[in-house]
Amino acid sequence: MSLKEALAWRYATKKFDPSKKISQDTLDYILNTVQLAPSSYGLHHYRIIVVEDAAIRQQLRAAAYNQPQVTDASHLIVFAAETNINEEYVKRYVDEVARIRSTDRSALAGFEDMLLNKVSSLSAEESLVWAHKQAYLGLGVLLAAASEVNVDSGPMEGFDPAKFDEILGLKELGLTTSVISAIGYRAEDDEYSKLPKVRKSASDLFIKI
C-alpha cells in the first residue's frame, strides 16, 4: 500500500485480538522508523517505553480507566517527555552530533550556544510543553509506520499520567508520560473497523493563500 492507502485503511482500533502478536522484525521496523521522527533541533525530547509485560500492563489498564486496548493489543507504546532538557542534556546531544558526523567539537560551538540560549530561555513548564509536542510528532510517525505494515494502532490520551509515571518508574528517569498507543491487530468483531472514515473535506481543511 502507498502511505495514503495505509492511512485510509487505519483507524483508532478499540478492540484488539489478544491472540495475535507483532513479529519482532515488524516491531523493529516500526520502532526504527519512529527513531527517525523529526524533533525540534534534533534534540529528541522524549523516550519511548515498549511495554510487553502482562502484569505491568494490567496495572496500566487500571490507570487508563480500564480500557481493554492496554492489555489486549500486542504491545503498548508509551511516549515519555524528558523533564530535564538543560545544559547537560544539550552538551550530551552536541557530543553525539560531533561523534556521528566526525566533526571537531569546537566547530559546533555556535550551534551549541544557540541551543543553550534556547533551553535557558524556557521555564520548566514551557520546556515540558515543548517536549510533549515533540513526543506527538513521534506518535504521528508511529501511526503511519504501523499502518504501512498493516499493524493496527490506537492512540490514547485517556489515562492518568501520574499513575503511569509511578507504575513505570519514570520520575527516576527524568521522564513523564505524554501519550500512549496500543499496537497490534484488530479483532474481527471490532465494529469501529467497519465505519467509514470521517474527515474534513479538502475545501474545509485546506486554506490556500
Side-chain angles (χ1 to χ4, degrees):
M1 289 190 292
S2 67
L3 180 57
K4 179 182 175 182
E5 291 169 331
L7 292 176
W9 168 83
R10 76 155 298 277
Y11 71 106
T13 306
K14 303 299 183 185
K15 188 174 184 180
F16 287 87
D17 184 340
S19 70
K20 294 182 178 179
K21 301 300 179 185
I22 301 171
S23 71
Q24 190 61 53
D25 285 348
T26 299
L27 179 63
D28 288 345
Y29 175 80
I30 294 170
L31 295 178
N32 291 340
T33 303
V34 177
Q35 188 179 6
L36 298 172
S39 64
S40 185
Y41 301 108
L43 280 170
H44 236 156
H45 310 59
Y46 57 91
R47 296 182 71 182
I48 298 169
I49 300 90
V50 182
V51 189
E52 298 183 69
D53 184 273
I56 294 295
R57 288 171 67 178
Q58 198 64 50
Q59 294 179 57
L60 294 174
R61 175 170 172 166
Y65 311 107
N66 202 37
Q67 294 181 82
Q69 306 96 297
V70 174
T71 52
D72 292 351
S74 176
H75 294 74
L76 183 69
I77 309 298
V78 178
F79 289 81
E82 297 274 2
T83 58
N84 297 304
I85 299 177
N86 51 23
E87 181 177 349
E88 180 184 357
Y89 189 94
V90 168
K91 287 184 177 298
R92 287 200 307 268
Y93 171 63
V94 176
D95 286 344
E96 193 69 354
V97 172
R99 183 186 70 80
I100 291 175
R101 295 181 176 172
S102 300
T103 301
D104 190 309
R105 184 76 168 63
S106 62
L108 299 170
F111 177 60
E112 183 175 24
D113 288 344
M114 182 267 293
L115 289 179
L116 290 172
N117 287 334
K118 170 64 177 180
V119 300
S120 66
S121 72
L122 300 175
S123 67
E125 181 179 357
E126 289 170 332
S127 181
L128 189 55
V129 169
W130 188 36
H132 283 311
K133 288 180 178 179
Q134 309 310 307
Y136 273 79
L137 290 176
L139 172 67
V141 174
L142 174 81
L143 303 182
S147 65
E148 184 189 17
V149 290
N150 291 110
V151 170
D152 290 297
S153 57
M156 303 164 65
E157 292 183 316
F159 61 91
D160 185 328
K163 289 182 180 177
F164 263 62
D165 290 356
E166 180 182 353
I167 293 166
L168 296 172
L170 297 187
K171 184 177 181 180
E172 293 77 9
L173 298 175
L175 301 168
T176 186
T177 307
S178 293
V179 65
I180 67 177
S181 182
I183 58 173
Y185 298 99
R186 66 189 70 178
E188 290 296 328
D189 60 346
D190 185 357
E191 60 185 25
Y192 290 95
S193 67
K194 312 299 191 294
L195 298 176
K197 189 180 292 291
V198 179
R199 294 291 187 271
K200 284 184 176 180
S201 67
S203 61
D204 283 342
L205 179 61
F206 302 113
I207 301 173
K208 298 178 180 179
I209 300 175

